[in-house]
């Protein structure tokens, strides 16, 4: 840099300004009071959900109304009466308890109870295990 020429410095003033007030600062209580004292026009709008803990989307919409008008009852299939009677009869013929049968098919005793009471949702895999353990056909034609 020694042979390039004379060095000059730029001494122009640099002005740093604050940002223009954003929406949050315009709503600040101090700013509103200062505007009132200055005689400026102030607009206040009451929000419909103000003071509540509900989101704007929680109001009843078209989809909610459709769900309310829906009349179809949806339920899981349950074990048919014939199947639960067949399981109970086959288990009694083999002189097994529910716990023993459950141990034979590697399931919990509660599963056997649910099948025999008709509360279980039919699972073809479990029904297949029951058929093999009891040595009888439980599904389809006899």
């Amino acid at each position: 840099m020694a042979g390039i020429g004379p060095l000059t410095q730029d001494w122009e003033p640099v002005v740093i300004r604050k940002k223009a007030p954003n929406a949050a600062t315009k709503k600040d209580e101090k700013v509103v009071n200062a505007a009132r004292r200055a005689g400026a026009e102030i607009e206040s709008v009451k929000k419909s959900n103000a003071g509540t803990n509900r989101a704007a989307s929680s109001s009843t919409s078209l989809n909610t109304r459709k769900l309310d008008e829906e009349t179809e009852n949806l339920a899981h299939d349950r074990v048919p009466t014939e199947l639960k009677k067949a399981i109970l009869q086959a288990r009694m013929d083999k002189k097994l308890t529910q716990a023993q049968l459950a141990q034979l098919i590697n399931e919990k005793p509660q599963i056997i109870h649910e099948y025999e009471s008709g509360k279980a949702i039919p699972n073809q895999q479990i029904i297949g295990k029951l058929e093999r353990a009891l040595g009888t056909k439980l599904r389809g034609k006899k």
Side-chain angles (χ1 to χ4, degrees):
M1 282 213 181
I4 298 175
L7 295 175
T8 61
Q9 293 186 358
D10 188 15
W11 290 100
E12 290 183 22
V14 177
V15 179
I16 300 174
R17 294 191 178 111
K18 291 184 177 180
K19 293 183 198 173
N22 59 10
T25 56
K26 287 180 184 176
K27 294 178 188 174
D28 189 15
E29 192 175 341
K30 291 178 184 176
V31 175
V32 172
N33 286 337
R36 282 186 185 139
R37 280 192 294 272
E41 191 174 317
I42 300 171
E43 180 183 351
S44 60
V45 179
K46 174 81 171 138
K47 293 186 178 180
S48 61
N49 283 348
T52 63
N53 197 17
R54 281 189 250 155
S57 63
S58 69
S59 62
T60 305
S61 64
L62 184 63
N63 290 337
T64 309
R65 189 164 40 104
K66 282 183 183 177
L67 285 172
D68 288 341
E69 291 171 357
E70 186 66 39
T71 58
E72 185 179 356
N73 287 335
L74 301 174
H76 291 288
D77 292 333
R78 298 288 178 206
V79 175
T81 308
E82 308 86 48
L83 179 62
K84 64 183 186 178
K85 286 181 181 175
I87 293 171
L88 183 65
Q89 188 61 45
R91 181 176 62 82
M92 291 298 183
D93 290 345
K94 287 250 182 183
K95 296 185 175 128
L96 294 171
T97 64
Q98 288 182 348
Q100 290 169 336
L101 178 58
Q103 192 173 12
L104 281 174
I105 65 168
N106 293 326
E107 293 289 343
K108 294 180 181 177
Q110 180 184 358
I111 300 291
I112 305 300
H113 175 73
E114 287 175 357
Y115 270 82
E116 288 184 358
S117 64
K119 294 178 183 173
I121 299 169
N123 181 342
Q124 297 304 317
Q125 214 172 9
I126 293 176
I127 295 172
K129 288 180 183 180
L130 287 169
E131 286 178 338
R132 282 191 299 278
L134 296 172
T136 183
K137 193 166 175 96
L138 298 172
R139 25 178 193 184
K141 296 183 179 179
K142 292 185 178 179

